[in-house]
């Protein structure tokens, strides 16, 4: 699947954009713990190229991003695109689909049963935004070092933590992480913390408009509940 991912990036123009983004990182005077890349993907084109990879992206996007992460790391090292890059963990890939298949199973409707939305895959959702919070910061990624000075992992970029969709803030930044080599506590290197913007939006299903019209739609009992969306 790595080979197919590379072929798709080359044919879609994504590889050219990736090289351009790498140049901006390489030309920068700043040191980075995490190199973040946004890759636009067309699920239909990928499915035609390779059905297995297409389905993997649609149904297991977090694991699919790791495939593109590996491909991008090899490309950077082979072409010497970013001299400062040391480990594959420093690359953060965000897959952005241009669209999703027009099928009911890809539509997130919280008013329909059964829910069956336990999988971490892509869904489309429509609703009415009834409240929006202020834009605040969250940790996109952080670098940790072993506190034991004689440990090889007390330097370098062995411990990189990157925020994943659906994770809480404490999953990325916490003070109880331990070194896998010597079991000593890990300490965050604050100079390399990467921040991003997030906003909380309260939404409600568009079917609420029927209730506001003042008449019943043949249902004697119904309830509409809001749901929270995190924009990052």
């Amino acid at each position: 699947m790595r080979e197919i991912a590379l072929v798709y990036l080359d044919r879609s123009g994504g590889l050219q954009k990736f090289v351009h983004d790498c140049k901006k990182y390489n030309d920068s005077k700043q040191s980075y713990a995490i190199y973040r890349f946004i890759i636009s993907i067309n699920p239909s084109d990928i499915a035609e190229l390779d059905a297995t990879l297409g389905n993997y992206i649609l149904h297991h996007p977090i694991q699919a991003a790791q495939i593109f992460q590996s491909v991008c790391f090899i490309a950077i090292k082979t072409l010497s695109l970013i001299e400062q890059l040391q480990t594959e963990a420093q690359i953060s890939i965000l897959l952005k689909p241009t669209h999703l298949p027009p099928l009911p199973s890809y539509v997130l409707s919280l008013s329909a049963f059964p829910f069956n939305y336990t999988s971490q895959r892509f869904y489309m959702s429509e609703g009415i935004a009834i409240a929006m919070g202020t834009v605040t910061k969250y940790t996109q990624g952080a670098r940790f070092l072993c506190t034991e000075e004689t440990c090889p992992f007390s330097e370098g970029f062995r411990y990189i933590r990157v925020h994943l969709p659906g994770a809480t803030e404490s999953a990325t930044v916490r003070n109880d992480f331990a070194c896998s080599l010597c079991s000593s506590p890990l300490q965050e290197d604050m100079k390399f913390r990467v921040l991003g913007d997030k906003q909380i939006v309260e939404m409600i299903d568009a079917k609420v408009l029927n209730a506001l019209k003042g008449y019943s739609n043949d249902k004697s009992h119904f309830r509409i509940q809001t749901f929270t969306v995190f924009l990052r």
Side-chain angles (χ1 to χ4, degrees):
M1 284 195 286
R2 292 185 180 90
E3 183 179 350
I4 298 298
L6 180 59
V7 171
Y8 173 76
L9 288 176
D10 185 33
R11 293 183 180 180
S12 65
L15 188 59
Q16 183 178 359
K17 179 182 180 299
F18 173 73
V19 172
H20 177 72
D21 293 340
C22 287
K23 187 177 186 303
K24 291 191 296 184
Y25 277 123
N26 197 46
D27 294 343
S28 175
K29 302 293 184 181
Q30 183 178 350
S31 297
Y32 294 89
I34 297 169
Y35 299 88
R36 194 167 184 261
F37 300 95
I38 299 176
I39 298 179
S40 295
I41 53 175
N42 186 320
S44 299
D45 290 347
I46 294 181
E48 289 182 5
L49 193 63
D50 185 82
T52 301
L53 179 59
N55 287 326
Y56 202 59
I57 290 173
L58 288 173
H59 300 103
H60 305 282
I62 296 178
Q63 291 83 351
Q66 295 174 353
I67 295 176
F68 283 85
Q69 178 189 30
S70 178
V71 170
C72 292
F73 177 73
I74 295 173
I76 290 174
K77 286 300 184 182
T78 303
L79 303 176
S80 301
L81 298 176
I82 302 177
E83 296 179 0
Q84 308 95 318
L85 180 69
Q86 296 186 21
T87 64
E88 183 176 320
Q90 290 180 261
I91 299 177
S92 174
I93 299 295
L94 176 63
L95 298 180
K96 291 188 66 174
T98 56
H99 66 280
L100 292 179
L103 299 172
S105 59
Y106 292 96
V107 178
L108 178 65
S109 177
L110 297 181
S111 63
F113 289 93
F115 293 133
N116 193 26
Y117 297 132
T118 56
S119 63
Q120 292 183 326
R121 65 176 182 130
F122 290 117
Y123 289 100
M124 294 180 290
S125 180
E126 293 184 354
I128 303 169
I130 61 174
M132 300 179 68
T134 58
V135 177
T136 58
K137 297 293 184 182
Y138 79 102
T139 303
Q140 284 185 348
R143 174 200 189 193
F144 286 82
L145 297 173
C146 181
T147 54
E148 175 56 53
E149 295 181 357
T150 59
C151 179
F153 297 156
S154 62
E155 56 184 13
F157 293 87
R158 175 64 174 79
Y159 295 111
I160 299 293
R161 301 195 64 84
V162 179
H163 177 271
L164 292 178
T168 60
E169 187 82 4
S170 61
T172 308
V173 179
R174 217 165 53 228
N175 57 7
D176 60 349
F177 295 126
C179 177
S180 60
L181 185 62
C182 67
S183 299
S184 298
L186 297 181
Q187 185 175 15
E188 182 186 356
D189 186 353
M190 295 298 297
K191 300 190 301 293
F192 286 92
R193 178 179 286 198
V194 180
L195 299 179
D197 293 333
K198 74 174 179 181
Q199 189 173 22
I200 299 177
V201 179
E202 198 76 10
M203 298 187 67
I204 197 166
D205 196 287
K207 292 184 176 66
V208 72
L209 293 177
N210 293 329
L212 297 177
K213 291 178 180 178
Y215 61 86
S216 174
N217 56 352
D218 297 331
K219 290 185 179 180
S220 57
H221 301 286
F222 63 92
R223 184 169 72 100
I224 306 247
Q225 182 173 329
T226 62
F227 58 95
T228 303
V229 177
F230 289 82
L231 303 179
R232 298 185 184 270

